[in-house]
Every structure is written in structure tokens, then in C-alpha cells.
Amino acid sequence: MSLLEVEDLRTVFHTEKETIYAVDGISFDIEAGETVGLVGESGSGKSVTARSLLGLIDNPGVIETGSIRFDGVDLTEGHWDEYRGDIAMVFQDPQGSLNPVYTVGNQIRETLRIHRGLRGREARRTAVDLLERVGIPDAPRRVDEYPHEFSGGMRQRAVIATALACDPDLLVCDEPTTALDVTIQAQVLDLLKELQREEDLGILFITHDMGVIEEVADRVNVMYAGEIVERAPLDELFDHPRHPYTRGLMRSIPALASREGRLPVVEGEVPTPTERATDCRFAPRCPAAFDACTREHPEHVDVAEEADEHTAACLLYADGYDHAPDPSTVFDDGGENA
Ligand code: SF4
């Protein structure tokens, strides 16, 4: 049994105008002690996935179908409150995650009170310990400072300390380093890895940045327009990307782009899914699209090269499409990964 098992999760938003299928039937799992990446552009449904896991979907949003099993218990059957502290979240914006009118220590102590029943000196001592653990220098003094007195990197460390105050088994990190400069970003990623080793934490790491995914993930799910379109262990994905969208994201990694002189972005924008898919949602942006792509919804097929569990939802790799284009004529890697 995995720490987290998400099965066919569908989270939709019923507005007056339309229904938005923000998360449309995704499945993935996370083991204790591993980092699973969820990568895609803004608007792919990554953050709605994160909020779904924590039971934070508000009206007009609703989890329409699927299950979210944590330690074997389906949270969607009304069990979120029982596991509230076991799954903690670190958001992108540390400034917005901390309340500016309370000291950092107050905010950690409040979490300790709610989730671990700690008060008074014990709570203060634990808050200082947590700040020291995440690398805040002079923690006994800084515990009484306000968020604006912390630098951006220190604020994100404080947010991580607050998340750890719940003593979680699973950390959901939603673009936790996007607002930070490169040096601080590397420090925060190292900190997360260290905490994971110490605590056997499962981590869901959400980002738009393939370069960051390469640094942190053990396995990767690539998300596009509410769906997971490719999943694989990290090395397999980077050595043998198959889905045209994944290939496009790879080209946006600065080091690869400059080395190979490739275009840095996938042209076009992620569509907002307003109906169940009857086609490939990536077709309008796909350099390999052929006629069937606008009529048929691709299911995941096995595309493993060197590892198990590598699948892609793309008709190029499905049986029965003999007239699909030859990838060697479409992709600028000469189709070596086709
Ligand atoms: S199914 Fe067709 S449009 Fe979709 S990614 Fe594959 S080739 Fe491109």
C-alpha cells in the first residue's frame, strides 16, 4: 500500500457560464520517502490537484469522482479532518503563507497547539527547534520576529518549519521555490531533501520548471489541461521523453535550450477544459498532430525504454494508427526517442 494513492480524480468547477474540468481523471501514487513531481505549465491543473488532496476545494468547485487514499483511507469519504496534520502544504508565496501581524514564532506555536496540543514553554522550545532545523540562524531571537523581518528565503524556511510543526507524513509543495532567486532556490531544495531523508517524508513537488523537477523528483507526472499525459521514473523521462508536450517542456530547460539552440517555450497556451475530452487537448499545439488526434481521446500506453512504468497518452504510440507521422520527421531530436 502506498502512502498516497490517487485514482481517477476529477475536480470540476460549476460556474454560471460553464463547467471547468480543472482536474480530469488523474491517477498517481506516492511512497513514503520519495518525491513525485507534477509538472506542467500554469493552468494545467497542478494547484487544483494539490488543493484537492488537502480537501481545500471551495464552492463552486467539487471533487466529482475518484478517490484519494492516504494510508489506505479514502479522504474523499469525509476523512480530511482526521488526517489534517498528516498532509502539510508549502505554497509558492512565503509572504502570503505567513500572517504579517503575528510573529513567526506565534504562527508555529499556533500550529503546534492545534495539531500536537503543545502550549507555553514547550511550544516555544519546539518552535525554536523547528526554526533551527530548517536553518534559521539565531533562532531563539528570530522566533519573536515578524515575517517582514525575514528575507524571502528565510520566510520560505519558516513556512516549511510551520508545515513540519504538524509532524506530517506527506508534504505537498506547490512551486515552493518559484519566488526565490537561484541560489536560495538550491538551498531550499537541499533542505527539503535533507528533511525527507530524516523523516521519510513523501513529497508531491509541483512546478512548471523541468529544471527543478530534474533536481528533486524520483518519478514524474507531466500534466496538461487537467490530465496526466506522461508518467515515468525521472531518468527514463529525461533520457526518453515521448509525449510531444514533454519534449516541448524539455526544450524550455535553459541549459538544454542554449546547448542545443532550441526554442525555449511550447508555443500557444494551455486551453481551459470545459467539456470531457473527446480528442487530444494538446492537438492545437502539437507538431506531430494528425487527423485522429482531433477525434479520439488518447489513453495511456506503455512506452517504456529502460524502466517499467513509463506511459504516455499519445496516439503516436497507440496500436492501429499506421498513418500517424513518423516522429523522425517531426521532432528535432530526429525521433531518437520515438
Ligand atoms: S495524440 Fe496527437 S495531438 Fe496529441 S500529443 Fe499525440 S500526436 Fe500530438
Side-chain angles (χ1 to χ4, degrees), residues 297-301 312-315 318:
H297 183 239
E299 301 297 333
H300 275 263
V301 293
C314 172
L315 297 178

Side-chain angles (χ1 to χ4, degrees), residues 273-330:
T274 53
E275 50 191 37
R276 298 293 309 281
T278 55
D279 57 2
C280 175
R281 288 178 175 150
F282 188 58
R285 304 172 71 187
C286 180
F290 58 106
D291 54 355
C293 304
T294 57
R295 292 194 312 265
E296 293 176 42
H297 183 239
E299 301 297 333
H300 275 263
V301 293
D302 186 4
V303 291
E305 188 75 19
E306 294 173 17
D308 290 339
E309 299 173 14
H310 183 184
T311 65
C314 172
L315 297 178
L316 287 180
Y317 309 105
D319 289 336
Y321 296 94
D322 297 338
H323 59 302
D326 178 351
S328 67
T329 65
V330 178

